[in-house]
């Protein structure tokens, strides 16, 4: 549909991986398996943090939020990708594209802030353990989680609102999702205001949280090195090892996408990074937090023992 001088697109075409038709079935199977594991793993983590009284601590409150974000983030783009990988009509309505863009930005931005909050939680737990229950009270934790959500959702709303106002000279998106940078490549002309908004939000949600995480872990490392016993140091490291691994995975992928030089036009590499960022990281999060965590393992075993199939097997 055309306005006076601007074309208003009712739908967009997601090119995705259509240049590699033989690869699409492989990507479909890979994405489907990763998506199902993501849903199962993160849903299980949410369930045990709600039902198991031993996991009603600040760390697991934040972890439950992280799992919910991962489910929302992957569900915003992966189902569309799965459909398009098997379809010749790789289209999405403009309203669906806007919703997809907002949800992806909101969940990704919220997770940036939440990871910094979780780093502060580990700092208090290791560096100030006697005051930990007072500093990280239930009310404070809920407020910190809420701030993460509000910050992420508002910045995403700002970016999406301005991106939707940019005149576009095409409707073929060279991506498998309505990723904001891929959509803005269709702009008829550069927008200084949009560029400034993207820059400010990127700085607020990537380098600043990363700096806070580095400061927190600087204090944590200093405290751990002062612990005399090897067992004590090992226990302290294990309490923050999972979080640190998730931070490296998450920020490594995010920085490679959003803070790369503007001259870089390797769109195919961007798609691969986005796919890994969209399915692999959310899938690995519950696995990383469960591998060396006895509390989580015990909670999962307790949950599985209550399942009907488990009780049926015992009766047999």
């Amino acid at each position: 549909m055309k306005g006076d001088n601007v074309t208003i697109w009712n739908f967009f075409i997601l090119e995705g991986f259509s240049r590699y038709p033989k690869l699409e079935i492989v990507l479909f199977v890979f994405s489907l398996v990763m998506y199902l594991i993501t849903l199962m793993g993160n849903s299980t983590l949410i369930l045990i943090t709600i039902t198991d009284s031993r996991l009603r601590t600040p760390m697991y409150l934040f972890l439950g939020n992280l799992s919910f974000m991962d489910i929302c983030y992957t569900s915003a783009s992966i189902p569309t990708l799965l459909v398009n990988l098997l379809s010749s009509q790789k289209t999405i309505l403009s309203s669906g594209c806007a919703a997809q863009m907002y949800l992806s930005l909101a969940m990704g931005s919220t997770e940036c802030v939440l990871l910094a909050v979780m780093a502060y939680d580990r700092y208090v737990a290791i560096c100030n353990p006697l005051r930990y229950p007072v500093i990280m009270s239930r009310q404070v934790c809920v407020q910190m989680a809420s701030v993460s959500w509000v910050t992420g959702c508002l910045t995403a709303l700002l970016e999406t609102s301005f991106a939707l106002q940019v005149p576009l000279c095409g409707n073929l998106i060279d991506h498998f999702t309505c990723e904001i940078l891929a959509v803005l490549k269709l702009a008829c002309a550069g927008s200084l205001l949009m560029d400034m908004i993207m820059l400010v939000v990127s700085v607020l949600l990537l380098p600043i949280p990363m700096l806070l995480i580095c400061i927190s872990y600087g204090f944590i490392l200093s405290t751990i090195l002062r612990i005399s016993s090897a067992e004590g140091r090992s226990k302290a490291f294990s309490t923050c090892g999972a979080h640190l691994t998730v931070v490296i995975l998450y920020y490594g992928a995010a920085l490679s996408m959003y803070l790369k030089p503007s001259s870089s036009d390797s769109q195919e590499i961007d798609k691969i990074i986005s796919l890994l960022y969209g399915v692999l990281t959310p899938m690995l999060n519950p696995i990383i937090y469960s591998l060396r965590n006895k509390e989580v393992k015990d909670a999962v075993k307790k949950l599985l023992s209550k399942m009907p199939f488990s009780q049926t097997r015992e009766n047999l």
Side-chain angles (χ1 to χ4, degrees), residues 6 10 16 48 50 75 84 95 123 162 188 213 223 261 263 268 304:
V6 178
N10 294 321
I48 62 176
I50 294 173
S75 297
N84 288 342
S95 57
Y123 157 73
F162 278 91
C188 298
I213 291 171
T223 301
S263 59
E268 299 306 313
L304 291 176

Side-chain angles (χ1 to χ4, degrees), residues 12-270:
F12 291 94
I13 301 170
L14 298 171
E15 184 169 1
F17 299 95
S18 56
R19 297 174 189 170
Y20 311 98
K22 294 181 180 179
L23 188 62
E24 287 189 318
I25 189 64
V26 176
L27 289 173
F28 174 82
V29 174
F30 170 79
S31 301
L32 178 62
V33 171
M34 297 299 103
Y35 182 54
L36 292 176
I37 295 174
T38 297
L39 292 180
M40 184 174 65
N42 285 289
S43 298
T44 301
L45 265 183
I46 293 172
L47 192 58
I48 62 176
T49 55
I50 294 173
T51 58
D52 198 304
S53 58
R54 295 171 298 177
L55 301 184
R56 288 171 190 168
T57 62
M59 184 178 78
Y60 293 109
L61 170 67
F62 297 137
L63 186 55
N65 277 266
L66 182 66
S67 293
F68 182 69
M69 289 174 204
D70 285 339
I71 290 174
C72 293
Y73 183 83
T74 53
S75 297
S77 58
I78 300 306
T80 302
L81 170 65
L82 293 173
V83 171
N84 288 342
L85 284 172
L86 297 181
S87 173
S88 57
Q89 298 288 330
K90 305 179 189 298
T91 59
I92 183 171
L93 292 174
S94 57
S95 57
C97 187
Q100 194 177 75
M101 183 189 299
Y102 173 74
L103 282 173
S104 296
L105 285 171
M107 296 304 105
S109 301
T110 303
E111 190 161 336
C112 285
V113 182
L114 186 68
L115 288 173
V117 169
M118 294 173 75
Y120 176 74
D121 171 69
R122 293 298 84 204
Y123 157 73
V124 177
I126 293 173
C127 300
N128 212 340
L130 296 179
R131 296 193 61 206
Y132 180 74
V134 178
I135 297 174
M136 300 300 293
S137 64
R138 182 77 179 180
Q139 182 180 356
V140 170
C141 292
V142 170
Q143 290 173 348
M144 294 174 79
S146 299
V147 168
S148 301
W149 280 99
V150 171
T151 303
C153 291
L154 287 181
T155 54
L157 182 62
L158 178 68
E159 288 182 288
T160 305
S161 299
F162 278 91
L164 294 176
Q165 296 177 33
V166 175
L168 304 178
C169 288
N171 69 337
L172 176 61
I173 301 174
D174 190 11
H175 212 285
F176 62 84
T177 182
C178 289
E179 198 266 338
I180 188 168
L181 295 180
V183 173
L184 290 177
K185 286 183 179 180
L186 300 175
C188 298
S191 170
L192 180 61
L193 178 59
M194 189 67 226
D195 291 342
M196 289 300 297
I197 290 172
M198 291 286 292
L199 178 63
V200 171
V201 171
S202 295
V203 170
L204 283 174
L205 297 177
L206 288 172
I208 291 179
M210 276 191 69
L211 178 62
L212 295 175
I213 291 171
C214 290
I215 292 172
S216 296
Y217 274 101
F219 283 112
I220 289 171
L221 183 61
S222 176
T223 301
I224 290 176
L225 292 177
R226 290 200 300 267
I227 298 175
S228 56
S229 67
E231 183 181 351
R233 286 196 298 271
S234 177
K235 185 177 180 181
F237 271 121
S238 66
T239 60
C240 55
H243 174 259
L244 192 57
T245 304
V246 169
V247 166
I248 293 170
L249 283 172
Y250 182 84
Y251 277 101
L255 287 170
S256 66
M257 284 198 301
Y258 292 104
L259 292 182
K260 64 181 185 299
S262 57
S263 59
S264 174
D265 58 355
S266 52
Q267 188 63 23
E268 299 306 313
I269 295 176
D270 286 354

Side-chain angles (χ1 to χ4, degrees), residues 293-311:
N293 194 315
K294 188 176 183 300
E295 292 174 327
V296 173
K297 289 180 181 178
D298 290 343
V300 171
K301 288 177 182 177
K302 183 179 178 182
L303 179 66
L304 291 176
S305 67
K306 294 180 180 179
M307 294 294 180
F309 68 83
S310 178
Q311 295 175 357

